[in-house]
């Protein structure tokens, strides 16, 4: 049984306030359709079909950034995925918003304006403080229940994620329930065979936190990206440092040097480390160099090499479960996507329990036509997924538990 209430516990025919995470790429002022709309449409449709009056909250960007825009376009995109009209009001909790909320009929859907356009939303505060904000105190009396489906924002103590569960009966939406279950499975689920985690990205500190939290649950950590270089630097190889004009690696090395050296000295058997790297050759094509042939780092390494890929594949093929946290290369560039694509494709072809997540990693599937259905779960969360892997509490989930 879940530790929080779910939609199965919610009686039909209520006025429900629902927090989604529709934060999306914006190009030249146009909001881009993406898998978040598809995922959240399932919860929205289920609520509308149960004769709820459905009022949606979501955020987009941050003040001062180019992607900080209205949610009007989001309403149109979401409506296409839900298969029902989604009305929009350019207000969060003022008179126009209240009037639109009060006029809703059963089964109708309304999207409020960007929550981050209210001063009460963004400051990180205790749930009790947020519950006492004008935003929460004004909106809450107009609802029977609150549903949080925004797992990807569950690590944020914002008014819309932690304030309402203190003053309304609160429930987890379908995305929240599914993400929480699968993203904590590496720590909570028992597996019969080896468990492997592919770790990439650009932050060694994140990988260290995952390793320290899951060392007793994960048998093999296969490293790529910047952490792969930094772990090799800890062994004394001339990689994992910045070239002139770069600012990616040296600062991380200074902060994590002692921990990295301790890990490679005492826990090396847990790691798969790169034996070769890919870089941009003089002709602009992909070139590769073996670790043992590097006398001095002269190029930026943008992917693991094919010898490393071949070393990593047997771990995946022989594992009972494989989790992915971050890409092992710059997969947006086809020249340097081989590591990420080949490893993820191998996971898709295996019979293992599999969870893909971490920042933009899930975008690999769309870019390279890999079927999402081949995995047990593909997370749309970044920071919340990392928090789950590192054992940190998700404040929005904790308030749902407390409410239950």
């Amino acid at each position: 049984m879940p530790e929080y209430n779910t939609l199965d516990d919610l009686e039909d025919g209520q006025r429900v306030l629902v927090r989604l995470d529709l934060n999306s790429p914006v190009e030249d002022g146009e909001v881009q359709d993406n898998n978040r709309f598809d995922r959240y449409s399932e919860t929205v449709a289920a609520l509308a079909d149960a004769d709820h009056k459905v009022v949606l909250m979501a955020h987009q960007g941050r003040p001062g950034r180019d992607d900080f825009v209205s949610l009007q376009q989001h309403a149109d995109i979401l409506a296409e995925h839900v298969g029902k009209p989604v009305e929009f009001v350019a207000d969060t909790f003022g008179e126009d918003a209240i009037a639109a909320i009060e006029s809703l009929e059963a089964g109708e859907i309304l999207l409020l304006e960007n929550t981050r356009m209210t001063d009460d939303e963004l400051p990180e505060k205790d749930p009790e403080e947020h519950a006492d904000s004008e935003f929460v105190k004004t909106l809450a009396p107009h609802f029977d229940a609150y549903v949080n489906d925004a797992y990807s924002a569950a690590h944020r103590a914002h008014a819309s994620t932690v304030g309402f569960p203190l003053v309304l009966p609160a429930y987890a939406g379908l995305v929240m329930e599914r993400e929480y279950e699968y993203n904590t499975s590496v720590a909570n689920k028992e597996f019969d065979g080896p468990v492997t985690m592919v770790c990439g990205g650009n932050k060694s500190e994140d990988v260290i936190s995952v390793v320290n939290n899951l060392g007793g649950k994960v048998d093999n950590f296969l490293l790529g990206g910047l952490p792969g270089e930094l772990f090799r630097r800890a062994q004394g190889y001339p990689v994992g440092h910045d070239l002139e004009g770069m600012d990616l690696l040296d600062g991380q090395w200074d902060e994590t040097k002692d921990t990295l050296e301790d890990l490679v000295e005492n826990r090396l058997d847990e790691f798969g480390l790169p034996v070769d790297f890919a870089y941009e050759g003089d002709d602009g094509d992909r070139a590769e160099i073996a670790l043992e042939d590097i006398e001095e780092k002269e190029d930026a390494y943008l992917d693991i090499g094919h010898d490393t890929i071949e070393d990593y594949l047997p771990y995946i093929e022989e594992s009972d479960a494989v989790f992915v946290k971050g890409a092992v290369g710059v997969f947006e560039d086809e020249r340097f996507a081989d590591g990420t694509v080949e490893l993820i494709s191998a996971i898709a072809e295996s019979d293992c329990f599999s969870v893909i997540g971490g920042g933009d990693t899930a975008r690999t599937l769309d870019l390279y036509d890999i079927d999402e259905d081949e995995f047990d779960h593909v997370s749309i969360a970044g920071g919340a997924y990392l928090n789950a892997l590192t054992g940190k509490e998700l404040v929005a989930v904790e308030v749902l538990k407390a409410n239950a």
Side-chain angles (χ1 to χ4, degrees):
M1 290 290 293
E3 301 171 78
Y4 40 73
N5 294 319
T6 69
L7 297 192
D8 291 336
D9 303 302
L10 179 61
E11 294 183 7
D12 293 351
Q14 302 192 61
R15 185 182 287 134
V16 182
L17 181 63
V18 187
R19 178 57 156 97
L20 309 179
D21 184 357
L22 300 178
N23 195 39
S24 301
V26 177
E27 297 179 7
D28 298 324
E30 186 171 337
V31 176
Q32 303 299 297
D33 195 351
N34 60 84
N35 61 355
R36 287 192 171 187
F37 289 97
D38 189 54
R39 294 279 184 93
Y40 289 115
S41 67
E42 187 178 352
T43 295
V44 176
L47 290 169
D49 290 344
D51 288 332
H52 295 296
K53 301 172 182 179
V54 185
V55 179
L56 309 174
M57 296 186 295
H59 73 273
Q60 174 62 55
R62 279 181 177 269
R65 296 182 182 177
D66 292 341
D67 63 347
F68 184 60
V69 299
S70 168
L71 297 188
Q72 184 165 6
Q73 295 179 61
H74 298 68
D76 295 334
I77 298 171
L78 184 60
E80 294 179 11
H81 289 273
V82 175
K84 293 184 176 183
V86 176
E87 299 300 322
F88 172 75
V89 59
D91 188 19
T92 50
F93 66 102
E95 292 182 1
D96 290 344
I98 301 304
I101 292 167
E102 291 292 338
S103 66
L104 274 185
E105 300 291 338
E108 293 184 338
I109 306 165
L110 171 70
L111 176 62
L112 303 179
E113 184 57 283
N114 190 341
T115 60
R116 291 182 175 177
M117 290 184 177
T118 172
D119 293 339
D120 288 340
E121 170 70 346
L122 270 176
E124 295 269 349
K125 295 180 180 179
D126 291 336
E128 291 78 12
E129 291 183 81
H130 276 310
D132 195 43
S133 67
E134 287 303 311
F135 180 27
V136 173
K137 288 195 298 184
T138 302
L139 272 189
H142 298 276
F143 293 92
D144 304 304
Y146 167 82
V147 173
N148 193 344
D149 212 25
Y151 177 85
S152 47
H155 58 308
R156 303 294 189 189
H158 293 163
S160 63
T161 60
V162 301
F164 291 98
L166 269 64
V167 295
L168 286 169
Y171 305 81
L174 300 176
V175 173
M176 173 72 78
E177 185 180 6
R178 194 175 300 129
E179 289 270 8
Y180 184 74
E181 175 188 354
Y182 281 103
N183 295 347
T184 57
S185 60
V186 64
N188 299 333
K189 190 176 173 67
E190 294 294 329
F191 299 101
D192 295 330
V195 177
T196 293
M197 177 165 286
V198 179
C199 293
N202 56 17
K203 294 182 180 179
S204 62
E205 186 176 357
D206 289 351
V207 172
I208 290 169
S209 296
V210 170
V211 169
N212 286 336
N213 185 54
L214 298 175
K217 292 283 187 176
V218 175
D219 301 286
N220 313 295
F221 294 95
L222 308 181
L223 303 190
L226 301 193
E229 276 198 70
L230 287 167
F231 270 73
R232 283 302 195 189
R233 179 173 177 174
Q235 290 182 296
Y237 290 96
V239 296
H241 60 80
D242 289 325
L243 301 175
E244 186 175 351
M246 293 174 57
D247 184 21
L248 293 170
L249 291 157
D250 289 335
Q252 292 191 50
W253 173 254
D254 292 340
E255 294 174 3
T256 60
K257 173 180 179 291
D258 292 343
T259 304
L260 291 172
E261 290 178 338
D262 179 70
L263 286 172
V264 298
E265 179 178 352
N266 297 303
R267 296 174 59 181
L268 187 59
D269 59 340
E270 298 177 41
F271 298 100
L273 298 176
V275 297
D276 59 347
F277 298 93
Y279 61 96
E280 184 176 31
D282 293 337
D283 58 1
D285 292 335
R286 177 189 178 105
E288 297 188 2
I289 185 169
L291 178 68
E292 298 294 342
D293 293 337
I294 301 172
E295 297 180 1
E296 180 182 354
K297 182 176 177 181
E298 298 177 343
D299 300 280
Y301 298 132
L302 305 174
D303 193 11
I304 56 174
H306 281 88
D307 286 343
T308 303
I309 296 170
E310 291 302 315
D311 283 351
Y312 286 179
L313 289 177
Y315 288 102
I316 292 170
E317 294 161 357
E318 296 165 10
S319 290
D320 192 36
V322 180
F323 296 80
V324 176
K325 192 223 79 66
V328 297
V330 185
F331 68 88
E332 297 90 345
D333 186 329
E334 286 189 13
R335 298 171 299 170
F336 305 108
D338 290 7
T340 302
V341 171
E342 291 192 34
L343 295 182
I344 289 180
S345 296
I347 297 168
E349 293 167 7
S350 77
D351 294 327
C352 68
F353 178 89
S354 55
V355 178
I356 308 294
D360 288 337
T361 314
R363 287 181 52 223
T364 310
L365 309 187
D366 292 331
L367 286 175
Y368 297 98
D369 296 322
I370 303 172
D371 188 356
E372 184 174 316
D373 293 336
E374 296 297 327
F375 308 94
D376 287 273
H377 182 62
V378 177
S379 178
I380 56 175
Y385 179 67
L386 177 64
N387 278 29
L389 296 181
T390 56
K392 297 178 182 177
E393 288 186 347
L394 298 171
V395 61
V397 174
E398 294 307 308
V399 293
L400 288 179
K401 292 178 181 179
N403 184 288

